[in-house]
Amino acid sequence: MTQARPELLPRRRRRRPWSKKTSLGTDIAAAMLLLLTEILLGVRKVFVDSMEAWAAEGRQTNTAASDLASIRWLEYFLAAIVLLAIIATVCLAPCTAVLQFLAAGAVALMLVLAQHSYHQAHPDPPPKPDPHYTPCYSGSHRCH
């Protein structure tokens, strides 16, 4: 019995996501599904944050912790969207990639605004004065 030589056998090609362009219908469907999911997650997070702020009843420690948790959530959400955009780019799905990069830009803007408002509401304490500082009062003759 003879065996076929390996070079004569037809090679099976592995199908990889980046081997050919994703079909337009699949691309648009994936783009819309991901965008809708991200919008729903964002709306849910806004609702949960609003309920937490309402439940805090103005207590500063609770609202500060909630603000920091929201900023952290936005950072993770941005990282997930960027990862999805990179995967869409590798899979040659241009509509999905463009929408994901636009969504990442919108989330990045929201993150910057959230961080800015947190820093405006919680400024750094003023620096401590030098221990050798003596104030200069008018007429004290101790001014340097």
Side-chain angles (χ1 to χ4, degrees):
M1 185 175 245
T2 63
Q3 288 191 338
R5 296 188 322 194
E7 61 269 359
L8 296 178
L9 292 175
R11 289 184 73 187
R12 283 210 278 180
R13 293 189 62 165
R14 295 173 111 189
R15 241 180 86 65
R16 296 192 172 129
W18 55 85
S19 62
K20 66 177 188 162
K21 187 176 178 183
T22 306
S23 69
L24 184 62
T26 304
D27 186 17
I28 292 175
M32 291 300 139
L33 181 66
L34 283 173
L35 190 63
L36 182 64
T37 303
E38 290 161 358
I39 289 171
L40 289 176
L41 282 172
V43 167
R44 180 187 177 280
K45 182 62 178 166
V46 167
F47 177 74
V48 168
D49 287 347
S50 300
M51 289 293 114
E52 286 179 1
W54 177 65
E57 297 177 345
R59 289 187 295 258
Q60 189 64 24
T61 56
N62 292 354
T63 56
S66 177
D67 290 345
L68 287 174
S70 295
I71 289 171
R72 178 67 63 195
W73 186 86
L74 276 173
E75 290 171 349
Y76 288 133
F77 193 50
L78 178 61
I81 291 174
V82 169
L83 180 66
L84 287 172
I86 291 170
I87 290 171
T89 303
V90 167
C91 292
L92 300 176
C95 293
T96 305
V98 166
L99 273 178
Q100 289 303 300
F101 280 120
L102 288 174
V107 171
L109 180 65
M110 290 189 310
L111 177 62
V112 167
L113 291 174
Q115 288 173 339
H116 178 70
S117 75
Y118 180 80
H119 288 298
Q120 290 292 326
H122 302 89
D124 291 335
K128 293 185 179 181
D130 185 20
H132 303 292
Y133 172 75
T134 56
C136 180
Y137 297 109
S138 176
S140 66
H141 303 293
R142 291 200 279 171
C143 297
H144 298 272

